[in-house]
Amino acid sequence: MQHPPTPRAGKPARQTPARATPPAKAVQVIEELRPGQSIELLKELHILTREGKLNQDTRRKLKQVYHLYQFIAPLLEEVSAKGRPFTLADHGAGKSYLGFILYDLFFNVAHPGEKKGGHIYGIETRAELVDKSRALAQRLGFERMTFLNLSVQQATTSDQLPAQVDIVTALHACDTATDDAIAFGLQKQARHMVLVPCCQAEVAGVLRKNKALSLSKTPLAELWRHPLHTREFGSQITNVLRCLQLEAHGYDVTVTELVGWEHSMKNELIIASQPPSPNAAKTRQAQARLQEVLAELNLGELTARFALPAGGEASASAS
């Protein structure tokens, strides 16, 4: 019978080395998230990855979300003061990115457990996006959200919306959709409007059509003589006219940037609010200046879009 060899003295028996336990994966601490934010919502909006993490691109998106919310949050606080429920209509809602973020940050983060009343309406013409938003809101338990498959014009007269809406938003509403949102806000006597216009072309078309007459009338037409300048000046003057229109209805208007120029060139943010005390003289001045600008630039055919209705009074002044 053979026996295993005896180890030599002074040398320990060879042992199979134990495998090292792999270190547990570090959990990413996301300092940017606020207590109470819906992780599922942030994943659905692709602000968080499927694994619930932030990368450089999604971190930038989250920063933009907070930047936008800081403009709208004070308006929500003001209209919901003293327990009054607010109403907000978001036009051209798309996937209702803005509405969901506002709901989550206001109700779940800023006022968790409080009896804050309010309702957010997402208005969108694409039925499939409306259906997806409805399903997501139900899954998240966002009960104070309603999604309507309507155009802005249809929403103005629809009985699915209240007669008065406190806040109107239109984020990147293309071309005349921003004007439709303004018309909706005026009809609904909105206390605040938050607008980010996009791709406006109507005014540029009228400038182009009347270019020869304008060049013979005023040297200022050199501002839009070249096609590229026509497009850019048309976009700029469109927003100038919108601001004058809002002021002609008695609103105070602030124009600022939504995000830095490095993110988007379509970042002009227009905030219009009814003042605590109407200023009739300021309103009349804006009405006169609006008419003068339209006449000076040969944009008279757009009077019905931008000017006050014939014989109309500023809604904010009358309220």
Side-chain angles (χ1 to χ4, degrees):
M1 181 176 178
Q2 294 182 348
H3 296 279
T6 303
R8 294 181 180 180
K11 290 187 178 181
R14 181 180 298 175
Q15 297 180 353
T16 303
R19 294 183 179 180
T21 304
K25 292 184 178 179
V27 178
Q28 183 186 26
V29 177
I30 306 176
E31 297 178 354
E32 292 89 344
L33 295 188
R34 301 178 182 183
Q37 273 191 277
S38 170
I39 300 301
E40 184 179 356
L41 173 63
L42 294 176
K43 289 181 179 180
E44 287 284 344
L45 299 179
H46 304 293
I47 291 176
L48 290 180
T49 66
R50 292 180 179 178
E51 295 76 26
K53 297 181 178 180
L54 278 174
N55 55 39
Q56 184 176 357
D57 182 55
T58 55
R59 179 170 275 107
R60 184 170 61 250
K61 288 181 180 179
L62 186 62
K63 182 179 179 181
Q64 292 174 0
V65 165
Y66 291 154
H67 186 67
L68 176 60
Y69 181 70
Q70 77 178 16
F71 289 107
I72 302 179
L75 310 182
L76 292 171
E77 296 291 354
E78 186 227 302
V79 297
S80 63
K82 299 180 181 179
R84 179 181 178 275
F86 69 85
T87 51
L88 183 148
D90 181 31
H91 287 290
K95 297 179 181 179
S96 293
Y97 184 99
L98 174 61
F100 279 118
I101 287 293
L102 291 178
Y103 189 105
D104 193 37
L105 290 179
F106 184 78
F107 289 115
N108 299 333
V109 175
H111 300 283
E114 297 181 27
K115 294 182 179 179
K116 280 281 185 180
H119 204 94
I120 295 176
Y121 296 86
I123 301 167
E124 171 57 45
T125 57
R126 289 167 288 183
E128 67 277 10
L129 296 183
V130 172
D131 291 339
K132 288 181 180 179
S133 294
R134 288 170 177 167
L136 179 57
Q138 184 175 15
R139 189 161 70 249
L140 296 174
F142 288 10
E143 299 176 350
R144 288 167 283 189
M145 295 191 80
T146 298
F147 303 94
L148 302 174
N149 183 206
L150 298 170
S151 68
V152 184
Q153 295 93 329
Q154 291 170 332
T156 303
T157 57
S158 174
D159 58 6
Q160 298 179 78
L161 285 134
Q164 185 171 1
V165 173
D166 294 307
I167 302 174
V168 174
T169 59
L171 187 63
H172 292 137
C174 284
D175 202 13
T176 58
T178 298
D179 302 300
D180 295 336
I182 291 173
F184 173 93
L186 295 176
Q187 178 68 29
K188 295 292 186 178
Q189 297 182 329
R191 296 174 66 176
H192 304 283
M193 299 191 216
V194 181
L195 313 165
V196 180
C198 182
C199 306
Q200 44 265 48
E202 184 185 34
V203 170
V206 178
L207 288 171
R208 192 177 299 112
K209 182 174 65 174
N210 297 332
K211 187 177 298 184
L213 177 60
S214 297
L215 283 167
S216 65
K217 176 184 174 184
T218 172
L220 288 177
E222 291 294 332
L223 291 171
W224 66 93
R225 178 163 65 90
H226 298 286
L228 176 61
H229 295 163
T230 303
R231 185 184 69 193
E232 297 300 322
F233 182 75
S235 177
Q236 183 80 354
I237 199 63
T238 298
N239 289 338
V240 170
L241 290 168
R242 286 166 174 160
C243 292
L244 281 171
Q245 179 189 25
L246 289 163
E247 290 175 337
H249 280 82
Y251 286 83
D252 288 337
V253 175
T254 301
V255 181
T256 186
E257 288 181 304
L258 177 57
V259 294
W261 288 109
E262 70 275 12
H263 299 305
S264 171
M265 293 298 287
K266 301 293 190 298
N267 70 339
E268 184 171 337
L269 176 63
I270 300 172
I271 302 176
S273 299
Q274 290 188 16
S277 301
N279 187 327
K282 182 179 177 182
T283 298
R284 287 194 298 270
Q285 183 182 23
Q287 293 169 1
R289 186 55 58 91
L290 176 58
Q291 298 290 352
E292 291 166 357
V293 172
L294 289 168
E296 181 68 23
L297 301 181
N298 274 341
L299 297 173
E301 63 189 83
L302 297 176
T303 298
R305 175 173 292 281
F306 291 107
L308 291 170
E313 295 296 331
S315 61
S317 297
S319 61

